[in-house]
Structure formats: structure tokens, C-alpha cells
Amino acid sequence: MALDDRKSDFTFVGTRPDRPDGLDKVTGRAKFGADAVAPGMLFGAIVRSPHAHARIVKIDTSKAEAMKGVKAVVTRADFATGLTGEFWNVQENVMAGDTALYDGHAVAAVAATSALDARDAAKLIEVEYEVLPHVTDVDKAMAADAPVIRDGTADGSVPEGMHPNVVRYHESGHGDVAAGFAEADLVIEDSFKTEATHQGYIEPHACLASLGADGKGELWCTTQGHWYAQKHCAALLGIETSQLRVTASEIGGGFGGKTTVFIEPVALALSRKANRPVKLVMSRSEVLRATGPTSSTSMDVKIGMKKDGTITAAEGVFRLQGGAFPGAPMEFTAMCAFAPYALENVRQVGYDVIANRPKQAAYRAPGSPMAAFAVESVIDLLCQELDLDPVEVRLKNASKKGTKASYGPRFDDIGLVECLEAARDHPHYSAPLEQGQGRGISCGFWFNHGGETSVSLALSEDGTVQVSVGTPDIGGSRASMALMASETLGIPYENIRVTIADTATLGYNDVSHGSRVTYASGLATIKAAQAAIAEMCKRAAAKWGIPEDAVKWEDGCAVPSGPNAGDFEPLAMADITADMGATGGPISGHFEATPEGAGVSFGVHIVDAQVDPETGKTSIPRYTVIQDAGKAVHPAYVEGQFQGGAAQGIGWALNEEYIYGEDGRLQNAVFLDYRIPVASDLPMIDTVIVEVPNPGHPYGVRGVGETGIVPPLAAIANAVSRAAGVRMHELPMSPPRILAALKADG
């Protein structure tokens, strides 16, 4: 039988059924990272460096080991040796070797019979340090007199003459920017900075680990990617990957921050040494000091524009520090910066700079929000100087199908123009502003991702379906997979159960990141369902005594493909599966691939800001998110992703920042001082779902989880700058910064 992958007329996709995990979560039955227990379980605690940069002279664990209830103590000596590349960097972050590289860097760990005993024992571990010079600011880390943090870590891309703290370099673009600037009627060049922010997930990192002397282990953890955890933990412990089974718990927020490992290898090392299971749960202070926030940035952007709003050239330099390890997403920052615009002349440069901070981790669209802040701020300045409408200018220059992206390839079907038209026509854009208010808009871009994916779909005898996926559900993917399976099979959503398989029961799956899950796992679910349909049509053909290609699948039934195939009553799925034991055995479908064609994503945000000139306090009375979803599989979840990105962007733009003292120590390592938005800080956030189908997916799906956090920083900055009457160049725009800007402006 022939199966047409493409579909545009939907029965189940696009509806809003109840979420499958809802009951468990509202009743407290769902099990998160810290909820697992095991007989004989021990509790772990980690000793962390109080210095931003220090050589570890000596670690004395004797007092801790002598304490009653202590069963194991580990240091770097208890991990594998000889690791290189990515594994070495992860290991160096998980447990310091010769040098503590940031405030909060792990240097030792202990397991005891109670959490209190473990914490008390950790205090007995004596560490002798030789304090070294430190640097935490990205610009200062590049200065000629900056202390060298880790010499020899730069790759071959870095231009000669750069400080050793510059470890990677990116340059891309096309055209002649000098000629383009010469054509402009107005050129504006400006500089911007953003401070590091944390993802702010409510659930801290937590795990339960068991590793025996035979090298066989079990790990339960809160993670966005349990195959990633399996691979890295096995490498750091020196065991075979297949001997470690990892199960992902429910996840209480991740947003990119749980795509790597921090405590999981430590818990496994303690378990192996104690020969008992070990639970390890981070405190909030540990989460903020020692897990991965975003990079902080320093950026220079130059854009030329004609009087009619045509952008003639654009250039950007983006400097990102990603902690004491290579990997700041400067290439993403550079490549995303000008992606919303069709430019003949464009150049972008990125620098990856190391500093004495924790190793950065993804936060939704890593690197892109900062770029949008700088670029969209300059576009807003140009619009103000030339007295042009901000939406019309963006429409005039907007990328569309066939546009050569600033970073190289040509775009396929994309929805930026449709998003901008929706913004222009939305009542919010033309609504009157009150005294002291300003309105800002911004475009935003993210690449989206495919990644290694494996899905298995099994049919039960009663005609219901079990789908096993390997991507932890961080945004409603179980509902989306069930909807796509029901759409493909033609059976009710309620007849499908989706579970997150462990690493022993399914092929490798990449991390739930890059807005990939609904696209990639969804595509794999459709393909697996189609494989099951093909087998059911084969069984029906055998029963009817006709060729397999004379049978098609329609509305959950096998039917003759035409009048020449014979006159048979439709054979429902439940009728086929009821007899499958006697007609060839179990029926299932599988699909494994690394799908391409995720389809890039664009969005546009409109924001109103109210600034109190006496206090510098900013409030957000109105917010509208417009974004292309390709096809919204479950619109309520899509709207939630849009609103979540806006809410986190409001926090990033106005309040959230890592504050380091002169001693290089984090000063606001609790939520009381690191202030994320609460309900009273947020407006009702309106959403508009634009649907320009992604040609790379059978149902037109494109990921939506990350793009929503790209426009807020710039849109809010533009609104605040217009409301305050002074351009804001640094995030967050806290009351003291706004007051300082107002004072400097005179």
C-alpha cells in the first residue's frame, strides 16, 4: 500500500484534549527526581570551593571518613582517567581536578546514612587552597592583563594575538558591508551588555544512583536527556555504557538547564564505593552557584538604513563568556542576530571567552535572545531617528522563502512575514498608550533541531496502542505524540498511552532540546504508526485473499482501495488486533533516524511598558506573542510555550542577573535575592498562533519551545527606552540602572 506522508486536513491534531499527566501531577502521584527511594539508601553531600579560582593543594578526608554513619567519600581520584575532549570538560566540571575554577566548584563528596550526617561530614573535609587571580567579566577576561584561567584550551579558529581566555572564534556573512554602509542614509553603531541568568526551574537537580562492583548500575534522575546522562556517566566512571540503565523521572522544569550532568556521576561514584544506593539532591544555592546559567555577553552592533527603511548593511561582534570551559554559544548568537532580515551585506563575529564562573548551559534558544536585544535595539533607534513605523520597517526587510540567511543557507517556507502582518493588524499595536508608557516590538529567530530519535509503537489485542518514546516530556510531548498517533491510526486520543522509555528498552534518543521533540519524535511516531498500519493492511489482505496493495487505511479501518479490490466490510483496528496472535503474531511499528528538515522558527512580540521616573520601577501592562508554529498539534500547549517564553523574558529583561562580588563569589544564590517573576509581576499574555506548515514534517510541525524567549529582551528594552526617553544598553533593566540612565541623560 502507498502511504501519503503529507496531511493538511486533521481530525485529532489541532484539538485540545486533557493532558495525560494531569491527574498524576495534581494529585501528587507523579514521581520527580527527589521522590525515588531504595532499601539501604544513603544520602550524599558535596564539598564546594569557596573561591573563584584556586589551586587545590591538599584534601584531607580522614575526619569525615571516621564519622559515624559515613559510608563513602570521593574526590577526583575516584573517577576515570585519560578522558579527552567533551568528556574531560564534563568531568572537570563535575569534580575539580588540580584547580577549582569557580565559586561552587565541586571538590569532594560524601555519602552517609542520613542527609544531616552527610552535610555534617562534608564540613569535616579539609581542603587546602592556594588562591589564584580570577576574572568574571567577559570584557575583562579578554584584556591583556587578565589572569589566564586554563591555558591551552583554545582551538585552531582563534586569531593570533588573542588572550588565551579566548578559546573559540566564529565569523560568517556575505556581501560587502563597507559598501553597504556607504549606501545608507543613516548608520548607527552601539554597544550592549547582558548579565548571566538562570533557567529558574523549580525542581532542583536530584538523582538516585546504584552502581555495583560488577559495573552494572541504575540511575534515576531528573533530566532532559537520559541517554546523554548514560553516556557521560559511563565515561566518567569508566564503565560500559550498556551496563548503566538510566530512567528519567518527571521533570519539574528544565528549559535547557538539565541537558547535561552535574551530580549524577558523583552519586554513582559514591554508590560504587559504598556498595549501596545513594540519593543526591541539590540545594537552591548549589543550583545557582554550580549548575549552568546562560552566558553573559558584550556586543557591538552596527546597522545602516536608507530613509525609506531599507537596511543596506549590518555588522555585529558578539563576545560571550560561558564559564571556565569552552562552549559559550557565540556561533548561535552570531548566526541568529540578523537572521530575520534579508540583507545583501552582513557580517557577524563571535568570541567564546572563558571566565571564573560555572559552565554555561542552554536556556531555551541559547545565545539568540542576547543577539536580538542588541540588533533589535539598533533597528528601533533607526526607526526613531528616521521617523519610521517599526513593524513596517521589519516587514520591508523581512526574510521569506528563498532569502539567503545571514549565516548561509536559503530559507524554505517560513512565517516571519505572516507574524509581522499579524502584529501590524493586532489591536494591541494600534491601541493608545497612557502617560509614561512606551511600546516595543521585536522579531526573534531560532534554528530548531532534529537529532537522533527512536520510537516504538505496540498494538494491544483490544485495539489500543502503547507508544514508547525516548525524549523526556518537558513541554507536553506525550499529548502531542498521542495526538499524532491517533491522527495517523484513526483511533481516539484516549486509546493511546505514551510512556518515556528508559535507556535499556529503546534505541538512542538525543536530548529534549533544540525544540526538536514534537518535530522529531512526532515524525518518528507517525512513521512507526504507518509501519503498524502497513502490517495491519497486510493482515487484512490475507484475510480477504487480495493483494496487499489493494488495501488502504481509512478512519481506523482497513478497506479495499477501490471497487476492483472487492466488496468487503471495513475491518476495524480492534478486529485485526484481536486475532493477531493467530495471523502472524504481535503487531508493532518502529522508527529510528536522525531526521532533517526541522524548519526554522520566527516570532514577533509586542510589549507595553510603564516606567516610574521617580523609582525606576517598570511594569508590563500588556504583552502579545505572535509566533509561527507550523501546525499547532495541541494549541493549549503551544500557547503555554509562547506565554512561558514571554514570562521568562520579562524576568531576564527587568530583574534577573548573576551578581558577583570583587572576590568572585556569587552574591545572590537564593531566590530571595535572585528574583524570578511571580504572578503579580506579569500581565495577561495574549497569543496568536501563526501556521505556515513546515515542509520537513508530515503534518507541518515546527518546534515552538525556544523562539518564544528570543524577542522579549529586545521588545521590552525598546518599550522601556521609549517610555523612559533614554536608550537602555544593559540587561537587566533594574530600577537602579534605569535611574542611572535617566540621571546620565540629564
Side-chain angles (χ1 to χ4, degrees):
M1 63 172 261
L3 288 170
D4 183 7
D5 276 358
R6 305 295 304 167
K7 189 168 185 177
S8 58
D9 182 23
F10 299 99
T11 302
F12 299 102
V13 165
T15 62
R16 301 171 182 251
D18 291 342
R19 54 190 295 168
D21 56 336
L23 183 62
D24 284 351
K25 286 182 175 173
V26 299
T27 60
R29 197 164 59 194
K31 291 190 178 298
F32 292 86
D35 291 331
V37 294
M41 182 178 75
L42 302 175
F43 297 84
I46 295 177
V47 179
R48 300 188 178 277
S49 168
H51 305 291
H53 195 197
R55 188 170 70 87
I56 300 171
V57 178
K58 179 183 178 182
I59 301 177
D60 184 351
T61 63
S62 58
K63 292 180 181 177
E65 290 170 325
M67 179 177 163
K68 183 179 179 181
V70 171
K71 302 299 180 182
V73 176
V74 297
T75 63
R76 178 65 171 270
D78 294 283
F79 292 85
T81 59
L83 298 181
T84 59
E86 177 191 6
F87 291 131
W88 183 80
N89 273 304
V90 171
Q91 183 185 61
E92 190 77 4
N93 190 41
V94 165
M95 187 66 68
D98 297 332
T99 307
L101 297 167
Y102 56 89
D103 169 42
H105 200 171
V107 298
V110 58
T113 52
S114 74
L116 181 60
D117 283 347
R119 289 194 294 270
D120 287 344
K123 296 174 185 176
L124 296 177
I125 294 176
E126 298 175 353
V127 185
E128 182 182 341
Y129 296 99
E130 177 191 340
V131 177
L132 303 172
H134 67 271
V135 61
T136 58
D137 177 79
V138 61
D139 289 324
K140 292 179 180 178
M142 296 178 71
D145 60 349
V148 176
I149 296 169
R150 295 171 70 195
D151 203 2
T153 54
D155 68 14
S157 67
V158 180
E160 288 188 17
M162 299 299 297
H163 192 283
N165 291 340
V166 180
V167 293
R168 294 189 308 125
Y169 175 84
H170 168 89
E171 182 175 349
S172 58
H174 56 256
D176 185 336
V177 292
F181 287 129
E183 294 175 15
D185 293 313
L186 178 64
V187 176
I188 291 181
E189 184 173 7
D190 217 335
S191 298
F192 303 86
K193 297 197 76 166
T194 67
E195 188 39 84
T197 58
H198 198 271
Q199 300 83 358
Y201 36 80
I202 301 303
E203 178 200 28
H205 294 262
C207 67
L208 176 63
S210 179
L211 180 59
D214 59 358
K216 292 182 170 63
E218 302 277 342
L219 177 64
W220 163 280
C221 58
T222 174
T223 179
Q224 291 178 236
H226 39 314
W227 272 268
Y228 178 98
Q230 178 196 41
K231 176 174 68 176
H232 284 78
C233 287
L236 268 59
L237 273 297
I239 62 175
E240 294 178 359
T241 304
S242 62
Q243 298 305 306
L244 177 62
R245 183 174 73 164
V246 183
T247 303
S249 71
E250 291 287 349
I251 185 168
F255 314 110
K258 292 179 180 174
T259 55
T260 187
V261 292
F262 297 103
I263 60 173
E264 296 84 357
V266 178
L268 285 162
L270 287 167
S271 174
R272 179 167 61 183
K273 202 162 190 179
N275 200 30
R276 286 168 65 173
V278 174
K279 176 186 279 192
L280 198 48
V281 181
M282 275 186 161
S283 67
R284 182 60 56 188
S285 175
E286 288 181 301
V287 169
L288 290 169
R289 289 173 67 207
T291 66
T294 66
S295 297
S296 60
T297 70
S298 171
M299 303 169 287
D300 305 319
V301 169
K302 180 180 181 181
I303 299 176
M305 185 177 287
K306 292 184 176 180
K307 291 179 180 178
D308 68 354
T310 302
I311 298 175
T312 61
E315 189 171 35
V317 179
F318 305 93
R319 297 168 290 272
L320 279 72
Q321 71 76 26
F325 307 85
M330 53 83 189
E331 60 270 69
F332 293 162
T333 307
M335 290 191 289
C336 290
F338 302 108
Y341 303 109
L343 304 176
E344 293 185 7
N345 307 294
V346 60
R347 177 177 178 265
Q348 51 259 334
V349 170
Y351 294 95
D352 180 0
V353 185
I354 59 176
N356 293 115
R357 296 196 185 203
K359 180 177 171 61
Q360 69 82 37
Y363 184 2
R364 291 189 125 157
S368 188
M370 304 83 133
F373 165 54
V375 170
E376 297 285 322
S377 292
V378 174
I379 290 176
D380 197 58
L381 279 167
L382 287 160
C383 290
Q384 287 182 293
E385 289 291 326
L386 295 172
D387 194 25
L388 297 171
D389 182 273
V391 169
E392 294 298 341
V393 165
R394 287 168 172 84
L395 267 170
K396 188 178 188 69
N397 296 282
S399 293
K400 53 182 70 70
K401 184 175 183 178
T403 295
K404 181 178 174 64
S406 58
Y407 58 92
R410 294 195 179 274
F411 291 126
D412 205 325
D413 293 337
I414 56 174
L416 177 57
V417 168
E418 288 81 355
C419 288
L420 284 164
E421 289 173 340
R424 178 194 61 196
D425 299 338
H426 196 280
H428 183 176
Y429 190 63
S430 57
L433 288 167
E434 296 180 8
Q435 183 71 27
Q437 291 185 349
R439 179 166 295 144
I441 76 157
S442 173
C443 297
F445 166 83
W446 184 245
F447 305 97
N448 290 343
H449 178 54
E452 295 176 73
T453 308
S454 174
V455 167
S456 182
L457 180 147
L459 277 56
S460 301
E461 289 185 348
D462 61 358
T464 58
V465 176
Q466 303 165 67
V467 180
S468 297
V469 301
T471 40
D473 184 352
I474 60 171
S477 59
R478 279 172 290 198
S480 296
M481 298 308 112
L483 282 167
M484 284 184 274
S486 65
E487 189 71 51
T488 308
L489 294 166
I491 64 172
Y493 167 86
E494 293 76 16
N495 287 8
I496 298 171
R497 179 171 182 174
V498 180
T499 58
I500 312 301
D502 63 49
T503 58
T505 54
L506 199 62
Y508 185 90
N509 276 268
D510 202 355
V511 176
S512 291
H513 70 161
S515 300
R516 78 177 209 86
V517 175
T518 305
Y519 164 73
S521 290
L523 186 149
T525 297
I526 293 167
K527 296 288 189 181
Q530 290 175 342
I533 288 171
E535 180 60 27
M536 287 190 286
C537 288
K538 178 181 177 181
R539 304 278 177 104
K543 182 173 183 176
W544 292 334
I546 61 176
E548 291 178 28
D549 60 4
V551 180
K552 67 179 181 179
W553 194 258
E554 192 174 87
D555 297 328
C557 300
V559 298
S561 58
N564 293 334
D567 186 15
F568 302 100
E569 288 294 316
L571 198 55
M573 184 167 157
D575 296 327
I576 298 172
T577 57
D579 296 331
M580 62 185 177
T583 60
I587 298 175
S588 60
H590 309 276
F591 187 77
E592 299 84 18
T594 303
E596 303 293 338
V600 299
S601 175
F602 290 92
V604 176
H605 291 199
I606 311 170
V607 188
D608 293 351
Q610 177 99 36
V611 177
D612 184 337
E614 298 297 322
T615 65
K617 182 182 185 299
T618 299
S619 58
I620 306 294
R622 190 168 184 181
Y623 203 117
T624 301
V625 178
I626 303 160
Q627 187 176 321
D628 176 20
K631 176 61 187 178
V633 178
H634 192 302
Y637 273 119
V638 172
E639 291 163 353
Q641 290 289 335
F642 290 4
Q643 291 163 335
Q648 290 178 312
I650 290 170
W652 193 341
L654 298 181
N655 297 309
E656 297 181 44
E657 64 177 320
Y658 269 42
I659 301 172
Y660 281 91
E662 291 296 321
D663 58 0
R665 301 194 66 185
L666 185 64
Q667 296 184 329
N668 58 333
V670 292
F671 274 159
L672 182 65
D673 300 318
Y674 181 93
R675 191 173 180 277
I676 63 174
V678 296
S680 58
D681 296 315
L682 302 173
M684 297 298 291
I685 299 170
D686 195 10
T687 59
V688 178
I689 300 174
V690 171
E691 294 185 320
V692 175
N694 169 26
H697 188 278
Y699 295 167
V701 169
R702 65 178 88 233
V704 301
E706 293 176 280
T707 305
I709 204 170
V710 180
L713 309 189
I716 297 167
N718 289 337
V720 168
S721 297
R722 287 175 177 249
V726 58
R727 178 57 51 176
M728 300 301 298
H729 294 90
E730 186 171 356
L731 299 183
M733 294 173 290
S734 58
R737 282 203 178 102
I738 290 176
L739 289 176
L742 289 170
K743 183 178 180 180
D745 193 52

